[in-house]
Amino acid sequence: MTRTAELLADDPIWLILLKVVAIFAFLVLMTLLTIWAERRVIGRMQHRPGPNRAGPFGILQSLADGLKLAFKEDIRPVMADKWVFFLAPVISATPALVSFAVMPIGPEVTIFGERTALQLVDLPVGLLVVLACASIGVYGIVLAGWASGSPYPLLGSLRSAAQVISYEIAMGLSFVAVIMYAGTLSTSGIVAAQENGWFFALLPVSFLVYAVSMVGETNRAPFDLPEAESELVGGFHTEYSSLKFALFFLAEYINMVTVSALATTLFLGGWHAPWPLSLIGDGVLNTGWWPVLWFLGKTIAFLFFFVWLRGTLPRLRYDQFMDLGWKLLVPVSLVWIVAVTVIRALRNSETVSTQQFMIGGAIVVVILVAATFLIPDRKPENDPDEVPLAGSGFPVPPIDLEVPKTPPRRTPVRSGTGSGELAGPEGEEAPHGNV
């Protein structure tokens, strides 16, 4: 057992309950603050004030919205499956809360005289727990769409299932290189392995793949296809209202916090202080309660990244989104895993020095850059039936276009009998209903 696991194994029951309540309160509070910050930041990006009435700087607006949802009428469609319709938001929100239990927020501290670690549980397979919770969460979305008894929620839920499966594969592959360097699946062990260097610099490809995958995993813009208002109304939660709708929102934002905390744990050193703060006082800022501040700062930076993307990029088409996951992220991850394996094998055998690695890597980069310039551009094939376009991009009608003649129409006229009957073109009486 690791030192963290030994400390957590000796936690009394009151301390475990205290950690559970603290994590739940932290996630709910982060949800309220993230919604408020998102509206304020996007408002600033779009040159408008955002919420600024409820409380100072509008900071109580999210709380007011939550209370409003609690008192709204709870509507259930007639065709909905009662129990599945009720359980779906619960199934969606519960795994989001559970997955944060394995996140190491800080090192050893003393709480009311009890020595412990700032983590609820340290499992040898902590990363697999996070992936399992993410997989279970999509069941809530799929069941919500199916149980609503409406076509648009069903389509949104099916989109979400395909999306989560696709990007979970890429996300899982981005973990492989981290596990190889850390030598463990434990989240606390991964943080300890980054004491002398963060993995985002050592494994940049894994970091980029994870950064894209976590946005797709949480159904956030520009990858919010299951909730696309333009073609699916509101997606899988179209028929939901009141607290059930609030639970879906809670699950989405808690998932954002969880994947941001996981990115901090895997690639940004977890609770370790950033350089050069880590050099102050021989690492005093990595002890006590200081690491909680660094962990929160890195997590909030990733949350700002989510907001920045939403305010910057337009929504992708569904085929573009799936192509990005299957045709780019997954192949790149597989090639990167092979490259990392070869490099580690060569370094462990001590047959190649670090200088030779750098020179070989530079040669490979130069070859790839040169290849991109030397490969000729693919010319589009000429389609003889293609409609020509004007300079503005609008189709141009052909010069020899012949407009067909207007077909003759029967013009209804009143007959001279005064009975209100309708007559045909030659004055004969028209049959009833044929006007």
Side-chain angles (χ1 to χ4, degrees), residues 169-249:
I169 293 174
M171 180 182 289
L173 291 175
S174 68
F175 293 169
V176 174
V178 175
I179 296 169
M180 291 171 60
Y181 270 87
T184 179
L185 286 167
S186 170
T187 51
S188 62
I190 293 173
V191 172
Q194 300 179 72
E195 185 176 0
N196 298 321
W198 295 357
F199 284 160
F200 89 95
L202 186 62
L203 305 169
V205 176
S206 296
F207 175 66
L208 293 177
V209 170
Y210 178 83
V212 178
S213 300
M214 72 177 185
V215 181
E217 175 74 16
T218 52
N219 296 336
R220 289 283 300 182
F223 303 146
D224 55 340
L225 279 307
E227 306 171 19
E229 300 92 347
S230 55
E231 66 266 25
L232 293 180
V233 191
F236 56 87
H237 54 60
T238 300
E239 306 292 349
Y240 280 86
S241 60
S242 189
L243 283 178
K244 297 185 184 69
F245 180 77
L247 281 177
F248 279 119
F249 252 69

Side-chain angles (χ1 to χ4, degrees), residues 83 100 103 128 137 140 171 177 186 195-196 216 240 244 246 257 285 293 322 330 344 365 385 394 404 419:
W83 290 110
F100 204 86
M103 299 298 169
L128 297 184
M171 180 182 289
S186 170
E195 185 176 0
N196 298 321
Y240 280 86
K244 297 185 184 69
V257 177
L285 295 182
L293 180 61
M322 299 303 287
V330 172
R344 284 183 59 83
V365 171
D385 299 329
F394 294 100
S419 60

Side-chain angles (χ1 to χ4, degrees), residues 125-421:
V125 289
L127 288 183
L128 297 184
V129 171
V130 177
L131 286 176
C133 290
S135 302
I136 295 174
V138 74
Y139 280 95
I141 296 176
V142 174
L143 292 176
W146 174 81
S148 295
S150 180
Y152 290 123
L154 179 60
L155 291 174
S157 63
L158 294 178
R159 278 187 175 186
S160 181
Q163 173 175 331
V164 171
I165 291 172
S166 303
Y167 279 79
E168 272 186 7
I169 293 174
M171 180 182 289
L173 291 175
S174 68
F175 293 169
V176 174
V178 175
I179 296 169
M180 291 171 60
Y181 270 87
T184 179
L185 286 167
S186 170
T187 51
S188 62
I190 293 173
V191 172
Q194 300 179 72
E195 185 176 0
N196 298 321
W198 295 357
F199 284 160
F200 89 95
L202 186 62
L203 305 169
V205 176
S206 296
F207 175 66
L208 293 177
V209 170
Y210 178 83
V212 178
S213 300
M214 72 177 185
V215 181
E217 175 74 16
T218 52
N219 296 336
R220 289 283 300 182
F223 303 146
D224 55 340
L225 279 307
E227 306 171 19
E229 300 92 347
S230 55
E231 66 266 25
L232 293 180
V233 191
F236 56 87
H237 54 60
T238 300
E239 306 292 349
Y240 280 86
S241 60
S242 189
L243 283 178
K244 297 185 184 69
F245 180 77
L247 281 177
F248 279 119
F249 252 69
L250 182 68
E252 177 180 331
Y253 280 89
I254 289 178
N255 279 325
M256 288 172 54
V257 177
T258 300
V259 297
S260 299
L262 185 61
T264 299
T265 301
L266 294 179
F267 298 102
L268 295 187
W271 45 260
H272 287 112
W275 185 89
L277 296 178
S278 58
L279 304 178
I280 297 176
D282 196 19
V284 68
L285 295 182
N286 283 328
T287 59
W289 292 88
W290 281 105
V292 178
L293 180 61
W294 317 133
F295 181 84
L296 290 179
K298 298 171 187 177
T299 302
I300 291 173
F302 276 103
L303 292 174
F304 176 77
F305 173 70
F306 277 101
V307 177
W308 193 5
L309 286 181
R310 179 174 179 178
T312 305
L313 299 179
R315 179 180 292 133
L316 298 179
R317 291 200 320 264
Y318 191 69
D319 60 317
Q320 294 174 332
F321 176 67
M322 299 303 287
D323 286 347
L324 176 64
W326 286 104
K327 296 183 179 180
L328 181 62
L329 296 184
V330 172
V332 167
S333 298
L334 293 174
V335 173
W336 174 248
I337 291 171
V338 173
V340 170
T341 305
V342 172
I343 291 174
R344 284 183 59 83
L346 292 176
R347 290 187 63 181
N348 293 336
S349 63
E350 298 181 357
T351 57
V352 181
S353 63
T354 304
Q355 184 178 5
Q356 291 173 331
F357 268 121
M358 298 295 292
I359 295 174
I363 293 175
V364 172
V365 171
V366 171
I367 293 174
L368 292 176
V369 172
T372 57
F373 286 101
L374 295 178
I375 296 176
D377 295 335
R378 181 180 177 184
K379 296 181 179 180
E381 299 179 359
N382 294 327
D383 187 2
D385 299 329
E386 183 180 3
V387 178
L389 300 178
S392 58
F394 294 100
V396 179
I399 299 177
D400 56 348
L401 177 64
E402 294 184 3
V403 181
K405 296 181 179 180
T406 304
R409 293 185 301 175
R410 298 183 61 183
T411 305
V413 295
R414 293 288 179 179
S415 63
T417 60
S419 60
E421 299 289 344

